[in-house]
Structure formats: structure tokens, C-alpha cells
Amino acid sequence: MTRAQVLAWLETRRPVPPASLRERLRSAVHDSPDGLVAHLARHGRELLDTVAARPNGGRELALDLLAADAFATYAFEAQAEEGKGAVDET
């Protein structure tokens, strides 16, 4: 997916995240050959790796950790949305 596609999907999320978190999410998104679910999970993993690489980091890493959590949550949301069409309701 392209960065623009992921950003457009993120804009549909409710509730809207606080401005500082929204900006951190936007800055972390880049193009990826993955579909939406894997793309979101990749971003979360990349941010979590950044945080884990700095075990002595302080509060400055809090926003990255929150963004990693948000991307993981969004990956689950996207997976659930994709799965809605696959459920047989008969």
C-alpha cells in the first residue's frame, strides 16, 4: 500500500487520536508492498523496535510507544473489517 492509502484509512478512524499522536502516526507511515493489515503491523513493529533499542530512553520515547500501540490496534481493526465480509451469516 502507498503512504497516501494508509493515511486516508487512518483519517477514517474514530475516535480521532490526539494531535500529537496523530502527527507521530503520520510521520511513521511510508510506502510498503504489504496489504493494510501487515502494513499497519509493520509500522507498529518498527516503532517498537526503536523504543526497545533505547532501554535507557526516557519520556521522549513515550510518543513512539503510544504510536506503536496505536498501529497494533489499527492492524487488529483492519483485520476485523476485512473479516466482516468473510463471515457467513446464514
Side-chain angles (χ1 to χ4, degrees), residues 5-19:
Q5 290 171 311
V6 175
L7 292 177
W9 186 87
L10 287 173
E11 288 297 318
T12 68
R13 301 300 89 196
R14 297 295 178 264
V16 175

Side-chain angles (χ1 to χ4, degrees), residues 15-25 63 66 74:
V16 175
S20 59
L21 179 55
R22 192 169 55 246
E23 283 306 310
R24 184 62 190 106
L25 293 170
L63 196 55
L66 287 172
Y74 289 147

Side-chain angles (χ1 to χ4, degrees), residues 31-53:
D31 289 347
S32 170
D34 300 321
L36 181 61
V37 174
H39 195 111
L40 294 166
R42 174 192 300 258
H43 292 316
R45 189 172 45 253
E46 288 171 356
L47 285 168
L48 191 55
D49 289 346
T50 298
V51 171

